[in-house]
Amino acid sequence: MDSLDMEVLRRARDWIAAGHRVHLLTVAQTWGSAPRQAGALAALRGDGQLVGSVSGGCVEDDLSERARQQTLPDRPERITYGITSDDAARFGLPCGGSLRLVVEPLRDTVWLDPVLAAIGRHELTMRTVDMQTGACTLAPASPIDGPDFDGRTLRAVYGPRWRLLIIGANQTARALCDIAISLDFHVLVCDPREDFQATWDGRGATLLTSMPDDAVAEINTDERTAIVALTHDPKLDDMVLLEALKSPAFYVGALGSGPSQARRRERLRLFDLSDEEIDRLHGPVGLRIASRTPAEIAVAIAAELVWVRNTLGGAAACAPHPPSAARQP
């Protein structure tokens, strides 16, 4: 779930509290080149006002018109767009794209409040909806759980499913933190240096004060964790890389120019790391966009994180990665 989807739930709660008629729209299934993935959300008010996105196009316009005409269902119902080529053209779907929505009326905030509270604690929650009765139940979820729809039951998962551990509480980390949170990462920033801890302003991240190598174990690094070293201090950056490159993390990167990365790889070979493990290192970190400023470097790193995360189904996470960012110190 991304930050936009969390805003959808907040806005839906506020609209209900203000007495508005509200429908929640969930992308239940997609085929072909659908513009949003299963699990994407939008909230629709009775006057047609909408927050969120289920297609990014004319599907929302059609649903808003239905809301104004008061023709949306009074119990959970599925609506399919784009099955025919004429529908795809009418609703602005990509060629061959189709999506099935679950449209459900929201009458209270009984489940919204605990879900939002759980998201605030960085916890995953699964909501199960009975399409015939509209009854729903909540249960803890794991990162491997995902949206599912069998025609009778909708299962939606809310909360951050990905984590990013940043080593170094500096300016680049602040910029990367802001971007990563909007990309559905739970961000943790680790820096054992007291002067850096004192100036860190949080920005929605969890601050860890342990040594970087200890942090990799403390957070139970898994296949949905990315680790990026940004301190410019080889003692700290190399320390975390020795653990991160042996971990299941789907992405491990370190700031530094090409020559400094070559020297780093030679240092890493002095320890118990295989060539295959060292080759997992993304360094220089980030995509090649001629980045220079901390904000530009953060954009390059975030872009590479998205590229690797979105191609985990193939060989991209282990294969040679795309060109790295330039001009890193």
Side-chain angles (χ1 to χ4, degrees):
M1 147 176 233
D2 61 32
S3 60
L4 175 60
D5 292 337
M6 190 160 68
E7 174 61 21
V8 167
L9 298 182
R10 287 199 188 105
R11 191 72 63 85
R13 178 193 59 187
D14 295 344
W15 283 345
I16 293 169
H20 291 283
R21 176 182 171 90
V22 179
H23 281 78
L24 184 67
L25 318 174
T26 304
V27 177
Q29 295 171 311
T30 65
W31 299 269
S33 304
R36 294 296 309 272
Q37 295 180 333
L41 298 175
L44 181 58
R45 211 166 71 175
D47 60 0
Q49 186 172 333
L50 182 140
V51 60
S53 173
V54 292
S55 78
C58 296
V59 166
E60 284 85 352
D61 293 341
D62 180 68
L63 291 164
S64 292
E65 182 60 27
R66 295 193 193 196
R68 287 188 289 268
Q69 297 295 326
Q70 298 187 11
T71 59
L72 290 176
D74 290 326
R75 68 177 187 178
E77 187 175 297
R78 57 185 179 185
I79 299 176
T80 303
Y81 289 95
I83 291 297
T84 68
S85 57
D86 288 342
D87 285 342
R90 176 187 172 196
F91 295 115
L93 294 172
C95 181
S98 302
L99 71 158
R100 176 168 292 156
L101 307 178
V102 168
V103 180
E104 55 179 312
L106 299 180
R107 296 184 174 87
D108 56 51
T109 61
V110 169
W111 68 269
L112 282 169
D113 289 330
V115 167
L116 287 168
I119 293 172
R121 297 190 299 269
H122 305 290
E123 296 174 357
L124 285 168
T125 302
M126 176 177 286
R127 176 174 174 253
T128 302
V129 182
D130 187 312
M131 293 291 291
Q132 292 187 347
T133 66
C136 72
T137 58
L138 301 178
S142 70
I144 63 172
D145 293 322
D148 178 67
F149 181 63
D150 62 10
R152 177 186 174 88
T153 304
L154 171 70
R155 296 176 181 86
V157 177
Y158 308 114
R161 301 186 193 177
W162 301 88
R163 294 185 299 172
L164 170 61
L165 173 62
I166 302 173
I167 309 301
N170 53 32
Q171 191 174 4
T172 302
R174 289 189 184 94
L176 179 57
C177 178
D178 289 343
I179 300 171
I181 288 173
S182 71
L183 294 172
D184 191 28
F185 283 95
H186 172 201
V187 180
L188 306 102
V189 176
C190 176
D191 203 317
R193 300 169 296 182
E194 293 184 359
D195 50 344
F196 283 84
Q197 296 170 17
T199 58
W200 178 255
D201 57 8
R203 305 221 179 203
T206 301
L207 179 63
L208 306 177
T209 59
S210 54
M211 295 303 291
D213 54 338
D214 292 333
V216 175
E218 288 171 4
I219 68 170
N220 296 316
T221 296
D222 58 18
E223 295 85 353
R224 289 177 173 259
T225 304
I227 301 173
V228 177
L230 301 178
T231 70
H232 286 301
D233 185 338
K235 295 188 297 296
L236 294 177
D237 287 348
D238 289 1
M239 184 183 298
V240 72
L241 294 177
L242 289 172
E243 298 301 322
L245 292 171
K246 293 185 291 185
S247 77
F250 78 89
Y251 179 98
V252 179
L255 193 67
S257 65
S260 68
Q261 297 289 349
R263 293 190 294 271
R264 170 176 285 127
R265 285 178 167 83
E266 289 303 315
R267 293 194 301 270
L268 293 175
R269 287 190 175 92
L270 299 176
F271 296 88
D272 61 339
L273 288 176
S274 66
D275 287 342
E276 182 179 10
E277 289 169 334
I278 294 174
D279 286 344
R280 295 183 61 216
L281 177 62
H282 292 257
V285 70
L287 297 185
R288 187 182 299 279
I289 59 171
S291 52
R292 299 176 180 176
T293 68
E296 290 174 348
I297 292 172
V299 169
I301 295 171
E304 191 170 48
L305 283 173
V306 170
W307 183 84
V308 175
R309 183 177 71 175
N310 288 351
T311 52
L312 281 176
C318 300
H321 40 81
S324 294
R327 301 186 63 87
Q328 295 177 19

